Amino acid sequence: MKKPLKIFLSLTVLILLSFLITKIIFRINQKNEVAKNIKIIPEFSFQDINGVLFKNRNLKENAATIFLYFNTECEFCNSETEIIQKNIEKFENIKLIFISIEQPEKIKNFAQHYQLLKYDNIHFLCDKQASFGTKFDVTALPTILIYNSQKQLIEKIKGQVKIDYLLQKIK
């Protein structure tokens, strides 16, 4: 009776290990694929806070682009936005794309609070399907993706960062 039990337990452990290893390999391959796909700004389509679709073709040619994934209630996101607002003149030739999964009205209030709606190079987008995180491999707030003027990824930053660092990366 003990021998069949040992065999059963051994097979169960072996099957579980095989399953876990397969899941890990799948996850690593998936992460590598996403990392490869974001080397150049991937195709995207999100609504802005006025309900108008914003796509890749809306990005300015030969201009750097910074995506800022944020939440209006995130302390670090608010701090980052406040610093950008205070240094807005340094970003005049850079496309700033703020994107959140929150409701458009909440995002709009956030943009109004920081007086950022009057700038042509700043856009606030609503990710209603929560697809930005998957498409751009974003898991933390705030996350900043810096793309150069050729739409190539320079760096992905999780958390708050100094403005000088951002500007230095773009040059």
Side-chain angles (χ1 to χ4, degrees):
M1 187 81 167
K2 285 186 178 187
K3 191 169 185 168
L5 183 61
K6 284 182 180 180
I7 293 172
F8 174 76
L9 287 176
S10 297
L11 282 174
T12 303
V13 168
L14 186 63
I15 290 170
L16 283 173
L17 279 174
S18 298
F19 176 76
L20 289 174
I21 289 170
T22 304
K23 290 288 275 181
I24 290 169
I25 291 170
F26 175 78
R27 187 75 174 130
I28 289 170
N29 288 339
Q30 187 179 23
K31 280 265 199 203
N32 289 338
E33 185 68 26
V34 170
K36 185 174 79 174
N37 289 340
I38 64 172
K39 285 185 178 185
I40 295 186
I41 298 175
E43 290 292 319
F44 68 87
S45 177
F46 299 104
Q47 286 188 344
D48 69 12
I49 54 178
N50 297 314
V52 177
L53 276 182
F54 188 94
K55 299 180 177 190
N56 289 57
R57 67 175 175 250
N58 298 107
L59 295 174
K60 190 176 176 180
E61 288 297 318
N62 300 318
T65 303
I66 298 176
F67 289 92
L68 297 104
Y69 192 66
F70 78 103
N71 184 289
T72 61
E73 296 177 11
C74 165
E75 182 181 329
F76 298 112
C77 302
N78 279 278
S79 177
E80 191 81 47
T81 305
E82 184 176 340
I83 293 168
I84 288 171
Q85 190 266 337
K86 288 179 180 176
N87 293 277
I88 198 66
E89 71 283 348
K90 295 177 182 176
F91 291 93
E92 67 184 349
N93 295 319
I94 301 167
K95 199 67 132 169
L96 294 172
I97 310 295
F98 286 80
I99 187 160
S100 176
I101 62 171
E102 296 175 289
Q103 294 299 313
E105 193 60 37
K106 200 165 187 178
I107 298 169
K108 189 174 190 173
N109 290 339
F110 177 87
Q112 288 172 332
H113 174 77
Y114 290 105
Q115 303 170 357
L116 295 174
L117 291 177
K118 61 185 173 184
Y119 300 99
D120 291 335
N121 64 318
I122 301 177
H123 301 275
F124 286 86
L125 307 180
C126 180
D127 180 14
K128 291 182 179 181
Q129 309 301 321
S131 62
F132 183 85
T134 304
K135 185 172 282 239
F136 286 82
D137 190 30
V138 172
T139 57
L141 292 171
T143 295
I144 299 171
L145 294 116
I146 306 168
Y147 286 89
N148 65 17
S149 59
Q150 288 77 43
K151 311 297 182 230
Q152 299 167 332
L153 181 66
I154 296 172
E155 188 168 352
K156 181 171 75 169
I157 303 165
K158 293 179 182 181
Q160 197 170 358
V161 65
K162 294 185 182 216
I163 295 302
D164 292 336
Y165 183 79
L166 282 178
L167 296 170
Q168 176 189 9
K169 283 293 183 178
I170 289 175
K171 290 184 179 182

